[in-house]
Amino acid sequence: MSSKARDSAHSLFRVLETSDPALAAEVVGTDFHNREASNSPAACAIPGPAGALASSAWMRSAFTDLRFPILDTGTDDEHGQVFVRLRMQGRHTSPFVLFRDGKLDKILPPTGREMDFEQIHVLAVRDGKVVGHEAVRDDLTMLGQLGAFPPTPAMAARLVAWKLTGRDRRAAAAVSARAEEAAKDA
């Protein structure tokens, strides 16, 4: 597979780090589909660069200094795939909101903790542009690093308080609006 395909795959993670609309237009195909968007705000499922920018806004809303250092890359020329092993790193400074079927599912109030864990991404690349994404993540390690798994009594109390006060719904609405706004930049 060409070095252009690898470069595009790597650049997708720069888009997630920076929310750069010009870079998104350059490396993300108009028919881009993110299989992992099911637990994200609805805007993250929009095809093309708009969905990638919405995903960036969603993740960056929860994690400052978000970065994805790449550890290794492999290719499957026959199927047009690039495999990227990387680390997801950042500090959890705002609520991390997860969705299911477009509705609030879970929320993790900010912990201020650093996270640093491995992921593997499978990207479909066609004509030098990323058109598909799926991932294998170590979410349990991330939740452990953030102090949410196993939940301490203090964390459980925070989760209940966020739900009872409606803070969870307000955070979900805010992050959804931020993702929708980012998608308009495409």
Side-chain angles (χ1 to χ4, degrees):
M1 185 166 281
S2 74
S3 63
K4 172 72 173 151
R6 284 179 193 240
D7 291 345
S8 294
H10 291 187
S11 293
L12 175 65
F13 296 99
R14 286 291 301 147
V15 170
L16 296 176
E17 291 172 342
T18 65
S19 291
D20 181 341
L23 183 59
E26 180 183 328
V27 302
V28 178
T30 57
D31 55 344
F32 172 76
H33 170 72
N34 180 7
R35 184 174 169 203
E36 307 305 315
S38 62
N39 65 347
S40 311
C44 298
I46 298 171
L53 291 170
S55 293
S56 173
W58 168 60
M59 288 187 289
R60 291 174 67 233
S61 73
F63 304 106
T64 56
D65 301 322
L66 184 66
R67 51 205 181 280
F68 297 94
I70 294 173
L71 304 173
D72 198 12
T73 306
T75 60
D76 177 348
D77 296 336
E78 185 178 336
H79 296 100
Q81 293 179 320
V82 177
F83 305 92
V84 180
R85 185 171 65 93
L86 53 75
R87 299 197 73 79
M88 182 175 174
Q89 300 172 332
R91 180 177 296 278
H92 181 217
T93 55
S94 292
F96 184 43
V97 184
L98 297 171
F99 296 81
R100 180 175 294 166
D101 300 324
K103 297 178 184 156
L104 171 64
D105 183 34
K106 296 176 185 76
I107 190 163
L108 180 58
T111 63
R113 292 184 175 197
E114 292 281 336
M115 64 168 182
D116 180 359
F117 66 102
E118 281 195 33
Q119 303 177 341
I120 296 174
H121 296 263
V122 181
L123 305 172
V125 180
R126 186 175 57 242
D127 300 324
K129 294 204 175 202
V130 179
V131 296
H133 169 260
E134 53 190 296
V136 178
R137 299 181 310 260
D138 185 0
D139 292 343
L140 284 179
T141 294
M142 176 187 72
L143 293 172
Q145 290 174 356
L146 298 179
F149 186 81
T152 63
M155 177 57 78
R158 286 184 73 201
L159 293 171
V160 168
W162 275 62
K163 186 162 189 70
L164 291 175
T165 62
R167 201 167 175 189
D168 61 342
R169 292 182 301 283
R170 290 190 300 277
V175 74
S176 292
R178 187 171 176 177
E180 287 172 19
E181 191 62 33
K184 292 177 186 175
D185 290 340

